[in-house]
Structure formats: C-alpha cells, structure tokens
Amino acid sequence: MTTREKRLLGLLCIVAVAAGIDRLWGLSGRIIGPSPAAQRLEEAQKASSSMAATIAGLPLREGDVHALTLALRPLAENPFQAALPPARKDGGQLAKNGAEGTVLQYTGYVALDGNAMAIINGMEYAAGDTVPETGDVVRRIGESEVVLFSPSRNAEWALSYSGDDL
C-alpha cells in the first residue's frame, strides 16, 4: 500500500468514527444548529399561521367561506366520492340496492357518438358494465336514469339522476 492510500484509509476511518459518534450522541444538531430545511419549514409554518390569522379577520363573502372550507378539509381516499353532492332529505338523490344495502348515486351522464357513459359513485360505466359495490349490471343509460339489473334479486331497477344540472 502506498503512503497516499494509507492516508486516505486513515482519513476514511476518522470520518467513520466521527459519524458513529454523531449518530450515537447527536452532536451535530447541538454544535451546528438546526438544518436549513428545518428553518425553512419553521418559517413556512409561521407564515401560514400569519396568513390564516389575516384571512380569519377579513370580511368574506359566503362563496369565499365555502371555497376556503373546501380547501382546508382533508382529502378523502376517493376524491371523486368526496365531490358528490349531499343527499336530499326526500331521498330522491340516493338509491339503495336492497340486497346489500349499498348506496348508489347517479351523478353524471356523457354521450359521445351514440355511446353513453354514466357516472355512478364517482366511477364511469357503460352499458354492460358491472358496478363492483353491488354486482349490479348496467342495462340502459339515459339522461334522467340508469336501468340496472340486480343478479341477487333477479330484477331490474332504475337509479334516478341526482346531479344538479337538470
């Protein structure tokens, strides 16, 4: 081994020992101070708290309050499910499959070149597709309702459109 290689190996050993000591006792945090990333995170948290306090003191319109409320809520597992409108009190917006008790909502309709797609519980279905939550098969898709076939009940049933654009 050459003298140069011995020096490099010695330097490598010193660095390894220093890293081990730092790992065991965490000296770098006390000697060097907090990392720049931690400082930036702390500054960002202070800035967001300041902005939230400023916004809370502003006179907001009802639409602004609604937009801020939506922006601050945590995301659901399925963001399309979270975007569905709330159920109507008269029950007209929700339909239950009696066998499983699963709630289905027909909230969208798209027709392109004679092919219709229905949006049920946030997912797109064409005629012949099976809705996984219930096992029902989509028979016909119309603007105002979707006709489904339930193999468990051996019957067809209609799911009314519950969107807000009709």
Side-chain angles (χ1 to χ4, degrees):
M1 210 186 272
T2 66
T3 306
R4 182 173 183 263
E5 290 172 338
K6 288 179 184 176
R7 287 181 185 162
L8 287 173
L9 187 60
L11 183 60
L12 178 65
C13 289
I14 291 170
V15 169
V17 169
I21 290 171
D22 181 53
R23 177 88 172 153
L24 290 174
W25 287 288
L27 297 176
S28 67
R30 288 182 269 170
I31 295 171
I32 299 172
S35 70
Q39 289 175 340
R40 285 193 304 256
L41 177 63
E42 186 177 327
E43 290 171 6
Q45 289 172 338
K46 286 180 184 176
S48 81
S49 297
S50 170
M51 283 193 277
T54 303
I55 290 172
L58 293 175
L60 299 174
R61 295 176 303 192
E62 185 178 329
D64 296 336
V65 172
H66 179 68
L68 286 172
T69 303
L70 291 177
L72 293 175
R73 78 173 177 203
L75 292 177
E77 235 178 85
N78 179 353
F80 297 106
Q81 184 70 28
L84 294 175
R88 294 193 314 223
K89 291 181 182 171
D90 63 359
Q93 194 169 39
L94 302 177
K96 277 194 174 185
N97 180 334
E100 291 84 9
T102 303
V103 175
L104 297 178
Q105 290 183 311
Y106 174 35
T107 57
Y109 170 81
V110 178
L112 296 171
D113 298 328
N115 296 325
M117 299 285 289
I119 299 175
I120 301 172
N121 285 8
M123 301 298 294
E124 297 174 357
Y125 297 97
D129 290 346
T130 301
V131 179
E133 292 96 346
T134 61
D136 293 350
V137 179
V138 177
R139 288 276 173 97
R140 288 183 305 280
I141 300 171
E143 290 184 34
S144 60
E145 70 180 14
V146 173
V147 176
L148 300 161
F149 174 75
S150 175
S152 61
R153 293 182 288 172
N154 196 24
E156 282 188 353
W157 63 285
L159 177 62
S160 298
Y161 181 77
S162 60
D164 57 1
D165 59 341
L166 279 182

